[in-house]
């Protein structure tokens, strides 16, 4: 079932609508046409009580700034691009710099700051947001006709599908930047929650979080999540990569990548609530971010979010991949269809 209500108004007076997707088991998600943002995701805990497992804000004011990118649809290109530039079709493309000398999540005015058109489908319990990203938006070439669809299944799966087509060769690497806390948003830090990442290698970075240009084995390092461990077990280890980023904030190259198939790449759980989450995607990589720089964010329900109060699993290609030939390519050719799918599946025990 899909219902809609007024969420808030932009400073311009334009109305922002919240779309609620509720399944037959009572779980529900709430998404906004501003930024195609995931604001609420309530799933049952081991006792059957609904728990909101994503961080967010109660009014539009928080989302107008949203320096942490809570629940945001990121586009055209997630993560970082070194120097805010790259060569495409023999010419230099220059982007806005919004993190030192680098471009982060497409710039200061990315997809998460745009209004989207919405089309609902109650039979399939989904809403599709679409917009035209004009040629040159944030520096990216070509007019991109893009959409993101949220679907909540009766199996308590939140399915997110990104699609697009561009009239010029461009870069497309979309993702969702939700912060999860499987003990419930506002319940404190996530250091005691368990995480598995199905990846043999990760992407080491410089001090400014730009990749060094190669992937490295996780074996024998604190970066290894192949066997389940708590997020907090090694987060403060004496390891240069963790010092660069203030804790986990790294890309993982996940197992079993095949462009035609979706597969599980990570799983997490909370012992407090019994809520488990599995992450499935057709993307080659995932960015694990442990919320190291969340600080005094006035969030939902009167809660104030602090350091490591949520974690992100952002499906993607490697950061700065457009500048590194050995990484998976984010280039979308003229007239080629862009398609990417990620599923967050929940159960409790």
């Amino acid at each position: 079932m899909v219902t809609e209500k007024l969420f808030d108004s932009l400073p311009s007076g334009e109305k922002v609508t919240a779309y609620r997707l509720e399944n037959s088991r009572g779980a529900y998600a709430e998404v906004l046409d501003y930024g195609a943002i995931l604001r609420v995701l309530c799933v049952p805990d081991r006792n059957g009580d609904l728990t909101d497992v994503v961080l967010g804000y109660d009014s539009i004011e928080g989302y107008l700034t949203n320096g942490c990118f809570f629940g945001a649809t990121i586009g055209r290109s997630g993560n970082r691009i070194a120097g805010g530039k790259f060569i495409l079709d023999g010419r230099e493309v220059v982007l806005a710099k919004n993190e030192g000398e680098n471009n982060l999540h497409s710039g200061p005015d990315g997809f998460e700051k745009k209004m989207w058109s919405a089309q609902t489908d109650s039979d399939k319990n989904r809403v599709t947001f679409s917009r035209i990203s004009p040629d040159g938006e944030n520096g990216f070439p070509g007019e991109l006709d893009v959409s993101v669809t949220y679907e909540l299944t009766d199996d308590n799966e939140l399915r997110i599908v990104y699609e697009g087509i561009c009239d010029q060769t461009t870069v497309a690497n979309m993702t969702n930047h939700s912060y999860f806390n499987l003990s419930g948003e506002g319940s404190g830090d996530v250091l005691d929650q368990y995480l598995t990442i199905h990846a043999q290698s990760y992407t080491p970075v410089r001090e400014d979080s730009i990749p060094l240009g190669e992937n490295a084995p996780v074996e024998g390092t604190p970066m290894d999540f192949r066997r389940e461990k708590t997020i907090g077990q090694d987060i403060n280890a004496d390891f240069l990569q963790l010092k660069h980023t203030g804790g986990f904030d790294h890309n993982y190259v996940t197992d079993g990548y095949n462009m035609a198939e979706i597969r599980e790449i990570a799983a997490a759980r909370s012992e407090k609530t019994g809520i488990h989450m599995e992450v499935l995607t057709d993307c080659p990589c995932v960015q694990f971010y442990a919320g190291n720089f969340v600080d005094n964010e006035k969030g939902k329900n009167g809660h104030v979010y602090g350091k490591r109060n949520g974690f992100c699993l952002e499906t993607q290609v490697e950061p700065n991949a457009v500048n590194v030939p050995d990484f998976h390519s984010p280039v979308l050719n003229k007239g080629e269809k862009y398609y990417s799918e990620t599923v967050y599946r929940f159960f409790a025990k």
Side-chain angles (χ1 to χ4, degrees), residues 52-53 55 179-185 187-190 193 309-310:
D52 188 355
V53 295
L55 276 55
Y179 289 68
F180 296 97
N181 186 326
L182 301 182
S183 297
E185 65 85 21
S187 65
D189 68 52
V190 295
Q193 295 177 34
N309 277 198

Side-chain angles (χ1 to χ4, degrees), residues 196-235:
T196 306
I197 303 176
H198 307 308
Q200 310 298 315
S201 61
Y202 77 103
T203 309
V205 296
R206 312 181 314 207
E207 289 185 38
D208 64 352
S209 292
I210 294 296
L212 298 175
E214 60 185 10
N215 295 313
V218 298
E219 186 171 1
T221 77
M223 313 304 290
D224 192 349
F225 280 88
R226 291 175 298 173
R227 292 186 178 180
E228 180 187 69
K229 66 180 180 181
T230 63
I231 291 171
Q233 176 176 314
D234 294 324
I235 200 167

Side-chain angles (χ1 to χ4, degrees), residues 3 23 33 49 100 112 147 192 224 234 244 259 294 312 323 332 346:
T3 56
N23 69 14
D33 56 4
D49 297 325
E112 80 285 353
S147 69
D192 63 349
D224 192 349
D234 294 324
H244 281 342
M259 292 186 69
V294 178
C312 304
N323 287 313
L332 179 68
F346 297 89

Side-chain angles (χ1 to χ4, degrees), residues 232-244:
Q233 176 176 314
D234 294 324
I235 200 167
N236 295 315
D238 185 12
F239 188 69
L240 184 60
Q241 283 297 308
L242 293 175
K243 292 180 178 179
H244 281 342

Side-chain angles (χ1 to χ4, degrees), residues 239-254:
F239 188 69
L240 184 60
Q241 283 297 308
L242 293 175
K243 292 180 178 179
H244 281 342
T245 52
F248 296 109
D249 189 8
H250 290 80
N251 177 74
Y252 283 77
V253 183
T254 56

